[in-house]
Structures are given as C-alpha cells and as structure tokens.
C-alpha cells in the first residue's frame, strides 16, 4: 500500500506543501463552502464522489457516506472494505463510523462480509437507539437491514495473507506499511459538518482487534460549533489520547486546525517517545471557516482536498519526524 501510494504520487498527482495550501486558504478565511478533505491518495476518488453531492448544495452527511464508499468498494484498495487485508486468521473484519452536525453518530466494529460498513454505521445511527454494534451482532443487524453478505477476501489479499503466514510474524507495533484508513470530513453549503471513517484496520491483527477508526472521539469527531477531525495510522496510539476529540477540543480552546493537529501528534510523542519513532499516525482537521490542518508523526501522510478553490488535489502533511 505504501509502495503503491508512492508510485501513485510519482505518476500522477499534484503534491503541494501544506504551506502553499494554507496560503491559498488564507486569502479568504471564510473559504467558499462546501469543502471536503480526506486521508491519503485514495481520498481523491472519494472526494470526487462527495463533491457531486456537496456542489449541488447537498448534505455533508450524504457526501461523506457516498465518498468513502468509493475505496470501500474498490477491491484494489487493500486497507478498506472489499479486498482489505485480513486478520491473522484470514478474516476480513471492518471498522467504520459516521457522525453528523447534530452529534448523531453510528459505528460498526469487527464487521465481516459487508462491502459498505459505513452505510451500516449510518443505519445504526438512524435506525437504532445505539451508537455502536460489533462483530456478529453488527452482521446480523446489517443482514436484517438488507445488506448483502459477500466474500471480501480477494485472491490478491488471500495470497498476501498466505505469504505472511509463512513467517506469521506478529508485531503488535504496526509499521507504516500495513494499514491505512479513509477518514473524510465535509462542510456543506449550509455550514454543517459531517465525517466518516472506514478501514479494514491493521493487516494480520489478532481476530477481534478494533482500532481507532470506528470509535467516536478517536478516529473521528464532529462538533458543528467548532469543526471536525479524523485520524489514520496506528489506532492504539490514537485511542490512548482520544485523538480526534482532542483535536476538536484544542480548536475550541483557540488553536488553529493546524496547531491542534500538531499538538495531538506531540501528545503521542510525549506519551510514547520511543514507539512514536516507529509508527505512523496522522490527523486531519477542518474548522468552521474552512481552514484546515494536517500533521503526522512520519513523512508521507497525504490527504486530498476538494473545494471551489482547490479542484481535488493531494497535499503532503508536515510531520514531527
Ligand atoms: N487507524 C487504523 C487502525 O488502527 C488503520 C490505519 O489508519 O492505518 O485500525
């Protein structure tokens, strides 16, 4: 994944520094809404889908759901949805959550056999009194809600897992090569935020492991008064600091989205000085003015931006190391 990300960057993307995108946005603090931002290069395809809704004055909630469905349904993306790399037992287990401008939220964790966990998360939000369903219960709910049971393990991902099995080296500290998540935040023309986050999590994880991505406040947080944040990377470290909630609260205290993302990353470094050198975590944030922030532990964290000013470009975040 990391390799294909790099190739993709070299081949076809426009990379700009965060400084230049911030300059662009500084021209007019109140950027013309709408705007959508999402993690990694696959954010481009996802943003394009979200933009179809946002540009027609649609709701941010609909935009983020439609947006992240793109990598979820793409068998070539091995870290989200269909084709996601399995756990150590060969099972593809998915985590996802969604949150709207009214603090409604829904989440599924360790969900198997469903291509679009984000839509199941939305159903949990809209059709149940609960926030989170996990494992068999989440699957049962999905099937009862009309989702189709499918095999998510593609021949390619199965092959990669079988290769891994030869050594079956389980390292609880994930490196930055075997995981990725799409986290997406949108601000619509009505000035409302929504966010979505979806992943197959860390490849070859222990069966049942859940990362930050489906946890409201860790992988995603939306507060319509302030803004929204999402994360990617080693979920355990994001959970430990309630990462996305922390970023939003730091913005509430007057920090810019960029400062807030940097402070959250620095919190991880402070808590885990040694481990933080070996892993990747990245945060993305957006505030009510359409100002954004992005920061990661390691170089290489890219994100995609689509607004009236920026026609779906990829940027690379600054990093601590
Ligand atoms: N945050 C995800 C997890 O820990 C994976 C990632 O974004 O790389 O499951």
């Amino acid at each position: 994944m990391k390799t294909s990300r790099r190739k993709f960057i070299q081949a076809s993307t426009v990379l700009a520094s965060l400084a230049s995108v911030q300059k662009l946005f500084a021209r007019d603090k109140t950027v013309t809404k709408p705007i959508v931002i999402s993690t990694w290069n696959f954010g481009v395809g996802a943003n394009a889908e979200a933009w179809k809704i946002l540009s027609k004055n649609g709701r941010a909630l609909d935009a983020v759901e439609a947006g992240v469905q793109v990598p979820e349904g793409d068998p070539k993306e091995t870290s989200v949805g269909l084709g996601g790399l399995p756990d150590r037992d060969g099972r593809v287990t998915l985590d996802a959550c969604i949150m709207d401008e009214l603090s409604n939220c829904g989440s599924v964790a360790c969900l198997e056999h469903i291509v679009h966990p984000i839509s199941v998360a939305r159903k949990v939000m809209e059709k149940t009194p609960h926030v989170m369903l996990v494992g068999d219960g989440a699957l049962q709910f999905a099937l009862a809600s009309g989702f189709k049971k499918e095999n998510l393990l593609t021949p390619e991902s199965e092959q990669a897992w079988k290769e891994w099995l030869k050594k079956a080296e389980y390292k609880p500290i994930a490196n930055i090569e075997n995981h990725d998540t799409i986290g997406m935040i949108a601000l619509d023309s009505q000035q409302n935020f929504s966010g979505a986050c979806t992943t197959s999590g860390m490849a070859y994880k222990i069966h049942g492991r859940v990362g930050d991505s489906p946890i409201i406040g860790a992988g995603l947080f939306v507060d319509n008064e302030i803004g929204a944040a999402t994360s990617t990377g080693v979920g355990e470290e994001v959970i430990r600091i309630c990462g996305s909630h922390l970023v939003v609260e730091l913005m509430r205290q007057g920090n810019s989205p960029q400062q807030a993302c940097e402070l959250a990353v620095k919190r991880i470094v402070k808590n885990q000085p040694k481990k933080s050198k070996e892993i990747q975590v990245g945060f993305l944030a957006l505030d009510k003015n359409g100002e954004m922030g992005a920061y990661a532990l390691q170089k290489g964290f890219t994100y995609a931006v689509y607004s009236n000013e920026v026609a779906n470009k990829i940027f690379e975040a600054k990093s601590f190391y």
Side-chain angles (χ1 to χ4, degrees), residues 67-111:
V68 303
Q69 278 183 348
V70 174
E72 277 185 344
D74 183 346
K76 288 194 213 79
E77 296 297 354
T78 54
S79 58
V80 181
L82 176 66
L85 289 168
D87 64 19
R88 62 199 299 188
D89 299 341
R91 296 163 75 162
V92 181
T93 66
L94 306 177
D95 295 340
C97 75
I98 194 160
M99 190 165 188
D100 75 6
E101 74 277 14
L102 300 168
S103 298
N104 296 312
C105 46
S107 157
V108 288
C110 206
L111 173 64

Side-chain angles (χ1 to χ4, degrees), residues 15-23 40 232 256-266 269 279-285 292-303 314-321:
L15 268 172
S17 71
L18 181 63
S20 65
V21 75
Q22 280 176 335
K23 218 180 282 161
W40 303 117
T232 180
S256 69
Q258 183 60 27
Q259 288 167 333
C261 290
E262 291 185 13
L263 286 166
V265 166
K266 285 174 186 163
V269 176
I279 60 166
Q280 178 64 304
V281 170
F283 290 104
L284 261 191
M292 66 184 115
Y295 198 63
L297 277 171
Q298 317 292 339
K299 286 192 176 60
F301 170 42
T302 59
Y303 62 98
I314 293 171
F315 299 91
E316 183 165 344
K318 282 188 188 159
S319 60
F320 186 86
Y321 292 112

Side-chain angles (χ1 to χ4, degrees), residues 196 234 268:
V234 177
I268 294 175

Side-chain angles (χ1 to χ4, degrees), residues 40 79 95 178-182 197 199-202 205 209-214 231-236 238 280:
W40 303 117
S79 58
D95 295 340
N178 64 0
H179 55 93
D180 276 352
T181 292
I182 183 149
C197 188
T199 189
S200 52
M202 211 178 277
K205 58 197 174 187
R209 178 264 186 189
V210 171
D212 59 322
S213 308
S231 65
T232 180
V234 177
E236 282 74 1
V238 178
Q280 178 64 304

